[in-house]
Amino acid sequence: MPETALNTATGINSAELSFDDFKKIVINDYRIGYESRQASLLGRREVLTGKAKFGIFGDGKEVAQLAMAKAFKKGDWRAGYYRDQTFMFATGMSTLKEFFAQLYAHPDIEKDPASGGRQMNCHYATRYVDADGNWTNQAETMNCSADISTTGGHMPRLLGLAYASKLYRQNKELEYLKQFSVNGNEVAFGTIGNGSTSEGLFFETFNAAGVLQVPMAISIWDDAYAISVPARLQTTKEDISEVLRGFQRDSKGNGYEIFKVKGWDYVALCETYERAIKLCREEHVPVLIHVIEMTQPQGHSTSGSHERYKTKERLAWEEEHDCLVQMRKWMIQSAIITDEEIDALEAEAKKHVRNSQKEAWNELETEIKEEMHQVLQMLDAIAQPSQHRGDLQKLMSGLQTCVDPGRKDTVGTVRKALRLTINEPSDARNSLVGWLAAENDKNKERYNSKLFSDTPKSPLYVPVIAPQYTDDAKVMDGREVLNACFDANFERDKSIVAFGEDVGAIGDVNQGFAGLQGKYGDLRITDTGIREATIIGQGMGLAMRGLRPIAEIQYLDYLLYSITVLSDDLASLSYRTRGGQRAPVIVRTRGHRLEGIWHSGSPLGLILGAVRGLHICVPRNMTQAAGMYNTLLRGDEPALVIECLNGYRLKEKLPANVGEFTVPLGKAEILKEGKDITVVSYGSALRVVMEAIPDLEKLGINIEVIDPQTLYPFDTDNICGASLQKTNKLLIVDEDLPGGGSAYILQKIIEAQNGYYLLDAQPQTLSAAEHRPPYGSDGDYFSKPSVDDVVEKVYRIMHEANPGKYPALF
């Protein structure tokens, strides 16, 4: 492959177009760009006048996005950030009316298909999952993965979207998945601001894509600032493409093609994108398009003004080099359009934008005012006979005079009225109570639904199949049971892939995938570099494109290096698109007891707080883990599976249906029945509890042991609460820090399952010390729950309840 330098575009190839056709294309581009600019200007005014809460826009970036849109085809994917409104308009993936509906947070997916009012404006997504959980045909649509506000947080997902094209092109076994790809010809387009290229996620993604050689096209919108911070404080040499020059491909190996082009030069931009994306699409070479000399006319957002930190000279330069000003000038000079014609075009564009804004606002306002009118009528009926008539009339007046009322104003008024009239029962009041209950149900759907997919394809609905054992079932290491499970699933479903550090050649550090790369090939079972964040992003992008990835993080302690992608992006995906997108990736890892500070972690409190939107599976052994994998691989929701690090070489029986039996999510299991005290634990700590049973029986204590199996969902059949009806005492044993996973479990049992009313003694927890466990067996003994700790903790609870029968130990 010949060495190439940084590419600088200089012209556009219009040889195949008549001049009239060329004019029409350019004029239409300018119209889209100008409408987008007017939407930005009007959107800012709507925020500053109070109709919208916050605004962030793509002004100054219009012309580059028009050029990028020309290269974007059906089947392609976007993973960008909140400056890309012009691109979305130009591709038809969004409209002006939808832009304003999102600005006003209209909670209706028909009005705001991207998020149903859940995301602030310019956070885009296309819907590729229907209400029944079926995929749309992604090969026939333009596709936009759901934006997040963290400006570099989408980059790992971009890698996965591009990597899917590589697998669809190179793995012929995937040809049956025609609704997701056409021979892997799809390009994943990513955008990022120059400031965000300072983030680790950008560099990790950039390197990984260069290694994998995937069709990924990154556009950097460079306006020389990141909010108020100039490039000289952000980037070495103040030029990110210069920093990345070492990634330029040459005759020695793989790499990138790197282009640099000015953001106000329409002709150069069109030619650059045509060349760059053609190369990316056909040769699967990642490309970087560094778009410099961009502007941001309204500053970063509606929360501030860029006049505070930009010099007068810079502001004057930006006014002159505004991309639409330059495009307008070039069009007139090139006889594409006259002054009068472009003035008329701009006037019509302003009118169209204003009409779109009015329609979007009126549709939301009409809904809210109809609800308000219903409430006012009911309040009037309550107020007439009420002794609180004056106060109720004040509430009604306040609601009637509210400027730009929202649903919170109407519902808040109703709640206050019901508190005032608590001692005044009537049919009118009952009607208001009924209205509030119905509205609460609607608002729960509007604002709180779809944390998970909740479709018929959810793993919660996967049929339960028990493990079957023959009389001569083999007894083997737990790791071998897992290996057999993975082998059976890879044979059954060609869309399953697995990857992570050391997963391929050696079959993972604990041999769960031993021998499987040789059997199924390195496209399906793949080694990666040490790059936890992009391992998760790689899995997320693949899962969005119809594949079934198992993304491995080598140890639970290292999950922290991917927590931003897990929390900001994957966990929130279903919620922030109101079920319009999904990514059923399985994150496989191992944790709990072993040795040392970074190989024995159990930070479940952190995980439970950070990744709501993933199922959290904590199997006690490898057979249970295998059943969970079988369940998850047949469902449509993401999950984290934490295997017991010290359990791989413990002996287990091999089920005859190792690839078929399923463990249901959210179903707790009673491992030992007892009458004196309920002990709830999971993972490796559960084994410690079971080992304590003989010593406790010698002391005359009969414990009931419950394994929740999954922490999210937790014990949906209330097994723990039912146990407390019998024992009236509760102990949680957990390897997390005090107040971590144990606090979560307590809340579920004591509050959600009403366990508080069943207790005869204070509920207790037994957890690890407040520091990470030191190295060595002694360190483990003195910092994590031991058998002695369990025995003595249980005994103290029994002593407190009945000191006569259980005298103090010491």
Side-chain angles (χ1 to χ4, degrees):
M1 167 182 314
E3 182 172 354
T4 57
L6 291 175
N7 296 279
T8 303
T10 58
I12 186 168
N13 181 10
S14 58
E16 297 180 2
L17 292 174
S18 70
F19 187 63
D20 284 344
D21 289 338
F22 177 68
K23 283 171 56 176
K24 289 177 182 177
I25 292 170
V26 173
I27 291 170
N28 187 58
D29 280 351
Y30 183 79
R31 178 189 57 78
I32 294 169
Y34 192 82
E35 288 176 351
S36 180
R37 175 66 61 86
Q38 294 306 306
S40 297
L41 296 171
L42 183 54
R44 182 180 180 86
R45 288 199 291 272
E46 291 298 278
V47 173
L48 297 181
T49 57
K51 283 185 177 179
K53 293 283 289 184
F54 179 80
I56 196 157
F57 307 103
D59 46 303
K61 315 296 189 290
E62 294 91 350
V63 174
Q65 291 176 30
L66 292 169
M68 184 169 73
K70 291 180 181 301
F72 197 83
K73 296 182 178 181
K74 288 182 179 180
D76 287 346
W77 281 83
R78 170 190 171 271
Y81 79 125
Y82 47 67
R83 298 294 184 200
D84 291 347
Q85 70 195 53
T86 307
F87 173 79
M88 295 300 292
F89 298 153
T91 56
M93 289 191 287
S94 185
T95 67
L96 285 164
K97 190 174 173 182
E98 291 169 354
F99 169 91
F100 285 108
Q102 190 176 61
L103 183 70
Y104 301 134
H106 197 146
D108 184 338
I109 58 173
E110 297 298 322
K111 309 301 181 184
D112 170 23
S115 72
R118 295 179 178 185
Q119 293 231 71
M120 61 179 68
N121 75 298
C122 286
H123 286 63
Y124 291 104
T126 53
R127 307 186 73 79
Y128 58 76
V129 179
D130 68 18
D132 294 324
N134 299 309
W135 298 97
T136 63
N137 192 326
Q138 298 175 2
E140 294 182 353
T141 58
M142 295 181 176
N143 307 290
C144 175
S145 61
D147 291 348
I148 56 178
S149 290
T150 52
T151 54
H154 60 288
M155 295 302 292
R157 180 201 334 140
L158 174 67
L159 175 71
L161 293 170
Y163 184 59
S165 290
K166 177 176 180 175
L167 294 186
Y168 280 122
R169 176 171 288 187
Q170 296 188 12
N171 183 358
K172 300 306 179 185
E173 290 185 326
L174 298 177
E175 289 181 351
Y176 72 99
L177 295 171
K178 296 185 184 301
Q179 73 270 42
F180 297 105
S181 178
V182 178
N183 301 320
N185 292 332
E186 303 79 23
V187 171
F189 287 69
T191 63
I192 189 169
N194 57 290
S196 296
T197 63
S198 300
E199 292 186 344
L201 292 180
F202 171 80
F203 279 97
E204 187 174 318
T205 300
F206 201 83
N207 179 64
V211 170
L212 292 172
Q213 287 294 281
V214 292
M216 184 174 83
I218 299 176
S219 296
I220 299 174
W221 307 145
D222 191 343
D223 58 21
Y225 285 85
I227 306 185
S228 66
V229 181
R232 63 183 176 81
L233 298 178
Q234 290 274 357
T235 308
T236 303
K237 301 181 181 181
E238 300 185 46
D239 190 324
I240 187 62
S241 57
E242 284 296 315
V243 172
L244 299 173
R245 185 186 285 270
F247 285 88
Q248 172 67 49
R249 67 173 182 164
D250 56 27
S251 58
K252 297 179 181 178
N254 294 330
Y256 277 75
E257 283 296 335
I258 301 176
F259 300 80
K260 183 184 285 188
V261 61
K262 294 175 181 178
W264 47 265
D265 190 336
Y266 173 81
V267 176
L269 284 160
C270 290
E271 197 232 15
T272 296
Y273 274 96
E274 182 183 6
R275 291 171 55 200
I277 303 306
K278 185 176 187 293
L279 175 68
C280 184
R281 191 182 306 280
E282 294 178 358
E283 298 186 30
H284 275 201
V285 175
V287 299
L288 171 69
I289 301 105
H290 183 195
V291 186
I292 61 172
E293 296 191 15
M294 289 188 133
T295 66
Q296 203 154 282
Q298 296 188 117
H300 175 74
S301 69
T302 54
S303 63
S305 170
H306 63 158
E307 286 84 0
R308 290 184 300 160
Y309 53 84
K310 290 179 181 175
T311 65
K312 291 181 179 179
E313 292 76 16
R314 172 68 191 189
L315 291 169
W317 181 91
E318 289 194 9
E319 185 174 353
E320 179 184 354
H321 288 82
D322 183 297
C323 62
L324 290 178
V325 170
Q326 290 291 322
M327 185 174 178
R328 188 186 201 277
K329 185 187 301 183
W330 169 77
M331 289 168 66
I332 294 170
Q333 290 175 346
S334 303
I336 292 171
I337 198 169
T338 65
D339 277 307
E340 293 77 12
E341 289 170 334
I342 205 167
D343 288 343
L345 180 153
E346 291 175 352
E348 184 61 30
K350 287 181 181 180
K351 182 179 178 181
H352 177 54
V353 171
R354 186 64 177 170
N355 288 340
S356 298
Q357 174 268 318
K358 287 180 179 178
E359 287 180 22
W361 173 254
N362 289 339
E363 287 176 357
L364 178 59
E365 186 182 43
T366 298
E367 291 179 15
I368 292 173
K369 286 191 173 180
E370 285 177 355
E371 295 166 8
M372 188 174 71
H373 180 68
Q374 293 173 1
V375 165
L376 288 169
Q377 286 182 316
M378 288 186 283
L379 286 175
D380 186 59
I382 294 172
Q384 295 306 320
S386 174
Q387 62 178 328
H388 300 289
R389 181 176 180 180
D391 291 333
L392 288 168
Q393 286 178 333
K394 285 182 182 178
L395 286 177
M396 294 165 63
S397 177
L399 184 57
Q400 285 175 312
T401 58
C402 183
V403 178
D404 299 330
R407 286 191 166 94
K408 70 178 182 65
D409 300 296
T410 304
V411 171
T413 298
V414 170
R415 295 169 77 175
K416 291 181 178 70
L418 292 174
R419 293 198 295 268
L420 277 173
T421 59
I422 191 170
N423 294 315
E424 298 178 348
S426 67
D427 290 342
R429 188 178 187 277
N430 289 340
S431 294
L432 192 61
V433 170
W435 181 92
L436 180 61
E439 200 64 21
N440 283 341
D441 288 341
K442 293 177 186 177
N443 287 328
K444 185 175 182 181
E445 175 61 31
R446 287 171 179 140
Y447 303 109
N448 307 123
S449 61
K450 294 296 185 180
L451 180 60
F452 290 88
S453 71
D454 297 328
T455 73
K457 302 181 189 305
S458 165
L460 300 181
Y461 303 130
V462 171
V464 178
I465 300 174
Q468 299 171 2
Y469 295 96
T470 60
D471 293 339
D472 60 346
K474 291 182 179 179
V475 177
M476 56 180 59
D477 288 350
R479 63 182 176 82
E480 295 178 282
V481 174
L482 268 184
N483 185 270
C485 166
F486 291 139
D487 189 7
N489 277 289
F490 269 73
E491 182 66 35
R492 173 185 63 84
D493 186 346
K494 306 304 181 184
S495 70
I496 298 175
V497 294
F499 47 86
E501 299 158 25
D502 300 305
V503 168
I506 68 170
D508 87 45
V509 290
N510 295 102
Q511 299 293 282
F513 280 101
L516 297 187
Q517 187 183 71
K519 184 173 182 179
Y520 295 105
D522 59 7
L523 285 175
R524 295 191 65 191
I525 300 173
T526 310
D527 285 313
T528 72
I530 301 175
R531 49 174 183 84
E532 286 79 10
T534 48
I535 287 172
I536 301 302
Q538 192 170 327
M540 185 176 178
L542 291 179
M544 295 174 89
R545 295 192 61 188
L547 298 173
R548 297 310 309 259
I550 301 171
E552 179 167 315
I553 302 298
Q554 197 163 90
Y555 295 107
L556 183 58
D557 305 80
Y558 304 157
L559 198 75
L560 291 176
Y561 291 90
S562 64
I563 201 70
T564 53
V565 185
L566 284 166
S567 182
D568 288 346
D569 206 357
L570 180 59
S572 71
L573 178 64
S574 179
Y575 173 78
R576 73 178 189 267
T577 61
R578 199 167 166 183
Q581 297 193 357
R582 68 176 176 218
V585 57
I586 298 173
V587 180
R588 179 192 181 216
T589 189
R590 51 193 65 82
H592 314 314
R593 308 177 92 102
L594 188 67
E595 302 293 350
I597 291 173
W598 288 282
H599 296 84
S600 52
S602 300
L604 267 299
L606 180 150
I607 291 167
L608 285 161
V611 298
R612 295 293 173 94
L614 272 71
H615 296 295
I616 301 175
C617 304
V618 284
R620 63 183 179 267
N621 58 38
M622 302 309 151
T623 301
Q624 296 304 100
M628 291 176 185
Y629 286 120
N630 290 336
T631 299
L632 293 167
L633 287 167
R634 290 162 172 81
D636 70 351
E637 295 170 349
L640 171 66
V641 181
I642 305 169
E643 298 164 11
C644 294
L645 187 49
N646 60 357
Y648 290 108
R649 295 189 180 278
L650 298 180
K651 301 301 181 182
E652 301 180 32
K653 283 186 178 181
L654 177 68
N657 57 343
V658 68
E660 299 295 330
F661 81 95
T662 57
V663 171
L665 308 185
K667 305 301 180 183
E669 185 176 354
I670 298 175
L671 299 187
K672 177 191 175 296
E673 293 189 353
K675 61 183 176 62
D676 292 328
I677 182 171
T678 299
V679 181
V680 180
S681 188
Y682 61 90
S684 293
L686 187 63
R687 196 176 304 123
V688 176
V689 172
M690 298 299 286
E691 290 173 4
I693 290 172
D695 286 345
L696 287 167
E697 288 179 341
K698 291 175 184 177
L699 294 167
I701 299 172
N702 184 6
I703 68 172
E704 182 147 294
V705 182
I706 299 177
D707 176 10
Q709 302 206 87
T710 63
L711 296 183
Y712 207 94
F714 181 86
D715 186 15
T716 55
D717 293 334
N718 288 8
I719 299 297
C720 296
S723 177
L724 287 184
Q725 290 182 334
K726 176 172 51 175
T727 69
N728 308 115
K729 291 176 282 294
L730 176 64
L731 174 65
I732 311 298
V733 181
D734 176 33
E735 288 187 58
D736 198 1
L737 305 182
S742 58
Y744 166 83
I745 295 172
L746 274 176
Q747 185 272 331
K748 288 292 185 181
I749 299 174
I750 300 303
E751 183 179 342
Q753 297 187 4
N754 292 316
Y756 172 81
Y757 300 101
L758 304 171
L759 292 170
D760 290 342
Q762 178 185 356
Q764 298 279 318
T765 64
L766 175 59
S767 55
E770 293 188 283
H771 54 75
R772 298 190 182 195
Y775 171 66
S777 297
D778 288 344
D780 176 83
Y781 179 84
F782 289 107
S783 60
K784 286 204 171 189
S786 66
V787 171
D788 293 327
D789 293 330
V790 173
V791 170
E792 293 171 9
K793 187 75 168 182
V794 169
Y795 189 89
R796 281 195 293 271
I797 295 172
M798 299 303 295
H799 165 71
E800 179 188 340
N802 190 346
K805 184 176 181 179
Y806 303 101
L809 281 173
F810 41 77

